[in-house]
Amino acid sequence: MMWLASLTLTMTAQAAEPIKVVYHLSEGIPQATRAIGNIRNHLNADPSAKIVVVAHGLGIDFLLEGATNQQDQPFAGAIAELANRGVEFRVCNNTLVARRIDANKLVPEAKVVPSGVAEVAKLQAREGFVYLRP
């Protein structure tokens, strides 16, 4: 019976650990719009989830100052709201260089990482994040 108590304790500890999720964005504004809704729903269902958004290519567009969705609504408020709920936003420096975009054009919540794809791989392989692509 000792093994059962140990198994229960292990399962309880695992259940208490927040689920870590990386949302991978590379397709532009429509994907970002879907992601914002997905992330809100995700946090409403599981407020303890640890969420990191990694953007590269066209996926960074919603993180540029003044970016709007297809209905011409700014992303800034939604980004700030999600950041206040613990969501991290990471932007690929390779994309910034290739597209000649100054990092100063990003919203304040965005953090630049050397490579978006390398960041996604690191989060999955080394930090135990689950991969989602909205």
Side-chain angles (χ1 to χ4, degrees), residues 5-127:
S6 177
L7 178 62
T8 302
L9 186 60
T10 301
M11 289 173 63
T12 302
Q14 287 174 343
E17 287 291 314
I19 294 173
K20 300 183 291 187
V21 182
V22 56
Y23 279 78
H24 181 197
L25 305 183
S26 65
E27 298 171 15
I29 297 298
Q31 183 190 34
T33 301
R34 288 191 310 270
I36 296 289
N38 290 167
I39 295 166
R40 278 187 180 133
N41 291 340
H42 192 148
L43 289 172
N44 289 341
D46 182 7
S48 69
K50 165 75 173 139
I51 297 176
V52 175
V53 176
V54 177
H56 66 93
L58 295 176
I60 75 164
D61 290 0
F62 83 107
L63 292 167
L64 297 173
E65 287 283 356
T68 59
N69 66 18
Q70 302 95 309
Q71 287 76 42
D72 216 25
Q73 300 163 324
F75 278 105
I79 293 166
E81 170 212 335
L82 293 175
N84 285 335
R85 294 177 76 181
V87 176
E88 294 179 29
F89 295 89
R90 301 181 187 172
V91 174
C92 175
N93 189 60
N94 290 334
T95 296
L96 295 175
V97 170
R99 293 180 59 189
R100 296 186 174 109
I101 298 171
D102 190 308
N104 292 330
K105 303 280 187 207
L106 296 169
V107 295
E109 295 85 357
K111 174 187 168 201
V112 177
V113 295
S115 165
V117 291
E119 189 72 10
V120 169
K122 178 187 77 158
L123 289 169
Q124 286 185 273
R126 295 203 181 128
E127 299 184 31

